[in-house]
Amino acid sequence: MSKSILILGESHTRSYAFRKDVYPIFLGPGKVSNLACENISSIDQKIADVLEHLSTDDFIVFCKLGEPNCRLKLSGHWWPWEDIQKGKEVKPVVDTEYLDLCISNYEKLRDFERIDYLITPTSSFDLTVPALKYFNEKLIDR
């Protein structure tokens, strides 16, 4: 018997919907379920709450977080496209100190006893790509 895939994360997790034997679980919006220090314990708890109700032996468990953190520094808030719509200039930002902290927090989730794999974040918002590239390369190198 093969195992199904369970993917826990923020809104980008929903991109895995409607696939056979893949179950995306929305832990909450990115401004709440993200890798900032103050959120890690609540994410741990949300994961524990979800897994408590499942026979996790039937699943390979993935976690997908990080895109909101890579986007946050573009305008200092979660929705930089609103600034663009208002005619404000928004440039790519790679805040390495902040991203290193987020990567460290993501790795803590990997140590959670039932997270089998971390999925690197992705985005279709071009201005986020430099931060995502930094985040993903650092995460993969660890």
Side-chain angles (χ1 to χ4, degrees):
M1 179 174 124
S2 65
K3 292 185 176 189
S4 295
I5 295 173
L6 184 68
I7 303 174
L8 307 165
E10 31 78 0
S11 63
H12 293 86
T13 302
R14 292 182 249 177
S15 65
Y16 296 95
F18 307 111
R19 289 171 173 76
K20 184 180 181 208
D21 297 324
V22 177
Y23 301 93
I25 304 292
F26 179 58
L27 296 176
K31 74 179 202 175
V32 176
S33 294
N34 66 74
L35 298 170
C37 275
E38 62 272 10
N39 297 328
I40 290 303
S41 61
S42 69
I43 291 172
D44 272 346
Q45 187 58 55
K46 288 177 186 179
I47 290 170
D49 291 347
V50 168
L51 297 181
E52 176 183 326
H53 300 289
L54 298 171
S55 172
T56 55
D57 292 337
D58 298 334
F59 293 96
I60 301 170
V61 181
F62 289 79
C63 189
K64 180 174 177 53
L65 296 167
E67 189 281 338
N69 297 99
C70 291
R71 181 175 14 105
L72 175 63
K73 298 295 180 159
L74 295 177
S75 291
H77 58 84
W78 300 108
W79 306 281
W81 47 85
E82 290 178 353
D83 290 340
I84 293 169
Q85 290 173 339
K86 294 175 186 174
K88 295 180 182 176
E89 184 177 16
V90 177
K91 294 183 179 182
V93 174
V94 181
D95 182 337
T96 59
E97 184 176 336
Y98 174 74
L99 292 174
D100 287 344
L101 176 65
C102 292
I103 293 164
S104 176
N105 286 338
Y106 204 15
E107 289 178 320
K108 289 176 188 173
L109 292 177
R110 181 178 14 201
D111 295 336
F112 191 71
E113 65 185 49
R114 277 301 304 143
I115 299 295
D116 297 309
Y117 298 98
L118 300 177
I119 298 175
T120 55
T122 58
S123 176
S124 60
F125 192 57
D126 290 348
L127 296 174
T128 309
V129 171
L132 285 166
K133 182 177 182 205
Y134 176 85
F135 186 100
N136 290 335
E137 286 175 352
K138 293 285 273 197
L139 184 64
I140 290 167
D141 285 345
R142 290 182 174 200

